[in-house]
């Protein structure tokens, strides 16, 4: 497709603006590590929340979600639980506050608070850094594949799509490395505004160009029903046989069993807390634990409604207007639906804005990922082991080098990744399967120590990487095995080594105030400080998590029902959203008092480990 000059002008203006923003905030970002990676903890919570939402609004993920809605209909509302999307509910209810109270710069810094500074703690820190680097390479490869497919439909032929992806990555790397988190957040706000406009435009096109009876004729019976039974029972054979084959290849036809596995996996991964990426970085950058909770809570509102307006708009146009065009013989490439719809149905001028918006989505995700991973390389490796007495200027320069290195490795991984779905399945099932057990235990079990954490992370990560050598094995099927391996490593490693220093455990419990299996530590803290009030909010938090998952699911279903013009169901989803919001207002938001969520002082000094 040859872009009109108006569309090209919009695209060039957008890319130029992003670089200019990086240059403007460069001076402020160079004031120090805290400024570069956390914005000196001075950025407002709503800006961090919108930035986080923009980072999750990526091209590759949108392609994957369009595929799910196209093939599985309204039942696909539950399928992002694979990621899982409801981890934001666990974060908003309690985990963001727990994490922010540490005052840490990175997840590696947090290890010092939880496990001290002994050999096990140092091994744990290394395992966190290693996981962060592997995950950022995986995310970069996943983003690279989506961007290449997207670019192939719009930019002039004769140049490989990978080359366009590399050009856009170079621009993103430039402004990210110059301005740090300041640059990332400011550009994210611009990008998110563009993406909301694009979402509204695509939803409007779908509503005005596709009638409900046309959509019904293009989809199998039950496609527009959110309820499901043990079997999926969507018969695409007479409409698009390739879709039926793709569903069989996914292995999700026994939808009830798949749903149970999603819930099991999703709860465990969500309870483990944020992975060491842009999500954790935004929480640590909040001004207080209270604002950290608000950052995670607002993400669901500002992300799901506009994103699913876009996804539903693209899917509806593709189902009715494209149909067989998304298949080539027996091949089905639903990951190409998004760019094809924009290419064929969006008018001049708006096309440029759409392309800029979706490139913005990529750049936002990529920028947040690179900036958060560079923090681990510089703070937890370079400064800690190589140059502990360096200057802030040296650390900022090291951040530039780290960002570039991560980009190069991630792009190389992207060139080897066959599809968005392949990358997605490996990240959400295999990589997270090895991550879940040690990171659940670190929050809720006092006996977990640095050695146990190291062995849990290492065995889980090794299992996830090994799975790449067995492409015939579905990552979701391997999740229970990876979980069991990493859990065994965590528990055996902890019980076979000395208990954590009492001083370290008391300081972690005093700062974080978690609930769970902490009774011996709780008694020790109260003995030292009778005025200490332990956290007994477990029943309330679990209730709020359940309400939050219902609330979040209705936020996803509501825009889809609106675009497919099922107004009665859209109204029901709206009523559920309003009701759940009212409950959370009383049981969660009103309890975010200053006494419970005091600002956390920075974690500046390494905790000294007492002799056993």
């Amino acid at each position: 497709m040859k872009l009109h000059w108006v569309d090209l002008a919009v695209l060039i203006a957008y890319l130029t603006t992003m670089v200019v923003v990086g240059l403007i905030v460069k001076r402020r970002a160079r004031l120090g590590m805290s400024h570069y990676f956390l914005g000196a903890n001075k950025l407002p919570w709503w800006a961090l929340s919108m930035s986080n939402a923009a980072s999750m609004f990526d091209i590759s993920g949108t392609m994957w979600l369009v595929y799910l809605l196209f093939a599985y209909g309204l039942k696909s509302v539950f399928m992002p639980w694979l990621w899982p999307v409801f981890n934001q509910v666990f974060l908003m209810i309690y985990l963001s506050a727990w994490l922010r109270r540490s005052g840490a710069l990175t997840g590696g810094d947090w290890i010092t608070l939880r496990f001290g500074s002994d050999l096990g703690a140092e091994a744990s820190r290394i395992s966190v850094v290693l996981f962060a680097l592997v995950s950022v390479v995986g995310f970069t490869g996943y983003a690279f594949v989506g961007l290449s497919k997207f670019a192939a439909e719009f930019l002039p032929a004769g140049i490989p799509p990978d080359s366009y992806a590399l050009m856009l990555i170079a621009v993103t790397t430039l402004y990210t490395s110059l301005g740090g988190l300041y640059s990332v957040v400011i550009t994210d706000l611009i990008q998110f505004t563009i993406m909301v406009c694009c979402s509204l435009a695509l939803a409007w096109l779908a509503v005005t160009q596709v009638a409900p009876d046309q959509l019904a004729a293009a989809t199998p019976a039950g496609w527009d029903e959110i309820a499901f039974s043990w079997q999926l029972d969507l018969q695409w054979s007479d409409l698009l046989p390739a879709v039926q084959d793709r569903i069989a290849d996914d292995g999700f036809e026994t939808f009830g069993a798949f749903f149970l596995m999603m819930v099991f996996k999703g709860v465990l991964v969500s309870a483990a807390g944020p992975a060491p990426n842009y999500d954790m970085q935004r929480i640590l950058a909040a001004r207080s634990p209270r604002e950290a909770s608000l950052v995670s809570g607002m993400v669901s509102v500002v992300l799901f409604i506009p994103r699913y307006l876009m996804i539903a708009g693209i899917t509806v146009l593709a189902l009715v207007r494209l149909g067989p065009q998304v298949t080539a013989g027996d091949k089905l490439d639903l990951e190409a639906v998004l760019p094809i719809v924009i290419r064929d149905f969006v008018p001049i001028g708006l096309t440029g804005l759409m392309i800029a918006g979706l490139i913005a989505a990529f750049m936002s995700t990529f920028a947040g990922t690179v900036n958060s991973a560079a923090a681990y390389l510089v703070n937890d490796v370079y400064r800690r082991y190589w140059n502990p007495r360096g200057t802030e200027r040296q650390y900022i320069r090291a951040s530039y080098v780290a960002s570039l290195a991560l980009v190069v490795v991630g792009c190389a991984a992207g060139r080897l990744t066959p599809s968005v779905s392949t990358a997605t399945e490996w990240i959400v099932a295999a990589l997270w399967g090895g991550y879940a057990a040690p990171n659940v235990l670190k929050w809720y079990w006092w006996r977990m120590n640095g050695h146990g954490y190291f062995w849990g992370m290492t065995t889980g990560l090794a299992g996830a990487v090994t799975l790449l050598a067995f492409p015939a094995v579905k990552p979701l099927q391997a999740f229970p095995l990876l979980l069991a391996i990493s859990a065994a490593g965590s528990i055996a490693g902890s019980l076979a080594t000395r208990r954590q220093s009492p001083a370290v455990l008391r300081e972690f419990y005093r700062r974080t105030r978690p609930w769970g299996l902490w009774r011996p530590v709780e008694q020790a803290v109260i003995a030292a400080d009778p005025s200490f009030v332990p956290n007994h909010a477990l029943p309330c938090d679990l209730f709020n998590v359940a309400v939050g998952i219902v609330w979040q699911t209705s936020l996803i279903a509501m825009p889809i029902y609106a675009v497919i013009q099922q107004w009665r169901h859209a109204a029901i989803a709206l009523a559920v959203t309003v009701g759940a919001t009212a409950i959370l207002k009383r049981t969660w938001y009103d309890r975010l008092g200053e006494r419970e969520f005091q600002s956390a002082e920075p974690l500046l000094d390494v905790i000294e480990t007492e002799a056993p």
Side-chain angles (χ1 to χ4, degrees), residues 400-462:
Y400 299 160
V401 176
S403 298
L404 180 60
L406 288 165
V407 168
V408 171
V409 176
C411 290
R415 294 179 70 91
L416 299 174
T417 303
S419 70
V420 172
S421 293
T422 300
T424 302
E425 288 178 13
W426 183 78
I427 291 170
V428 303
L431 190 60
W432 259 235
Y435 174 85
N439 285 281
V440 168
L441 293 172
K442 75 182 183 184
W443 289 111
Y444 310 105
W445 185 38
W446 73 273
R447 186 60 180 82
M448 179 76 164
N449 63 17
H451 294 282
Y453 187 81
F454 168 77
W455 285 111
M457 288 287 285
T458 303
T459 54
L461 185 58

Side-chain angles (χ1 to χ4, degrees), residues 232-574:
L232 182 64
D233 292 330
L234 284 179
Q235 299 301 320
W236 281 99
S237 302
D238 295 333
L239 295 168
L240 288 172
V243 178
Q244 198 73 48
D245 295 339
R246 181 66 181 267
I247 291 174
D249 185 60
D250 287 343
F252 299 157
E253 290 178 305
T254 309
F255 200 80
F258 169 64
F259 178 81
L260 293 175
M261 177 60 75
M262 278 194 301
V263 173
F264 170 70
K265 172 189 170 293
V267 169
L268 282 174
V269 174
S270 298
N277 57 23
Y278 55 81
D279 201 8
M280 178 181 286
Q281 186 186 29
R282 301 304 191 280
I283 293 169
L284 291 173
R287 292 184 289 201
S288 70
R290 179 181 186 275
E291 292 202 359
S293 298
L294 294 174
V295 168
S296 298
M298 188 68 174
V299 164
S300 296
V301 178
V302 298
L303 173 63
F304 292 135
I305 293 177
R307 190 177 196 188
Y308 276 90
L309 285 173
M310 174 181 286
I311 290 164
I314 292 167
T315 304
V316 166
L317 288 169
L319 283 164
V320 175
R321 297 301 183 88
L322 294 180
Q325 291 184 46
V326 301
T327 64
D330 294 330
K331 298 284 187 179
L332 177 68
D333 188 9
L334 287 175
E335 293 173 1
V337 167
L338 183 151
I340 291 173
V341 166
I342 295 175
R343 183 194 68 190
D344 292 354
F345 300 113
V346 177
I348 292 172
L350 186 56
T351 297
L353 186 64
M354 290 278 185
I355 296 172
L358 287 163
I359 288 175
F362 159 78
M363 295 174 82
S364 178
T365 304
F366 186 80
T369 301
V370 170
N371 185 257
S372 61
Y376 286 88
L377 280 177
V378 176
N379 185 67
D380 298 312
V381 178
Y382 176 71
R383 183 164 77 169
R384 188 170 184 84
Y385 300 115
W386 193 341
N387 189 13
R389 297 183 180 179
T391 64
E392 292 295 328
R393 184 176 294 273
Q394 286 177 316
Y395 296 143
I396 299 301
R397 287 175 178 169
S399 300
Y400 299 160
V401 176
S403 298
L404 180 60
L406 288 165
V407 168
V408 171
V409 176
C411 290
R415 294 179 70 91
L416 299 174
T417 303
S419 70
V420 172
S421 293
T422 300
T424 302
E425 288 178 13
W426 183 78
I427 291 170
V428 303
L431 190 60
W432 259 235
Y435 174 85
N439 285 281
V440 168
L441 293 172
K442 75 182 183 184
W443 289 111
Y444 310 105
W445 185 38
W446 73 273
R447 186 60 180 82
M448 179 76 164
N449 63 17
H451 294 282
Y453 187 81
F454 168 77
W455 285 111
M457 288 287 285
T458 303
T459 54
L461 185 58
V465 173
T466 301
L467 194 64
L468 293 172
F470 301 93
V473 179
K474 292 288 185 182
L476 189 61
Q477 295 171 349
F479 176 82
L481 177 61
L482 294 172
L483 179 71
I485 291 171
S486 59
S490 299
I491 296 171
S494 295
L495 297 179
T497 53
R498 292 176 177 174
R499 298 179 178 182
Q500 204 67 60
S501 161
V504 171
L505 288 171
R506 287 197 302 269
E507 177 61 14
F508 174 79
Y509 185 80
R510 184 190 66 81
R511 273 181 178 254
T512 306
R513 297 195 297 281
W515 40 253
L517 303 177
W518 286 95
R519 184 65 174 171
V521 183
E522 176 186 317
Q523 292 175 338
V525 171
I526 293 175
D529 179 12
S531 66
F532 179 83
V533 179
N535 180 3
H536 292 155
L538 172 61
C540 183
D541 286 348
L542 293 184
F543 171 78
N544 286 335
V545 164
V547 174
I549 291 174
V550 173
W551 170 73
Q552 195 182 61
T553 304
S554 65
L555 285 171
I556 294 173
M558 182 170 54
I560 298 176
Y561 278 127
V563 173
I564 67 174
Q565 301 178 60
Q566 288 203 9
W567 304 114
R568 178 172 173 272
H569 290 88
I572 292 172
L574 176 61

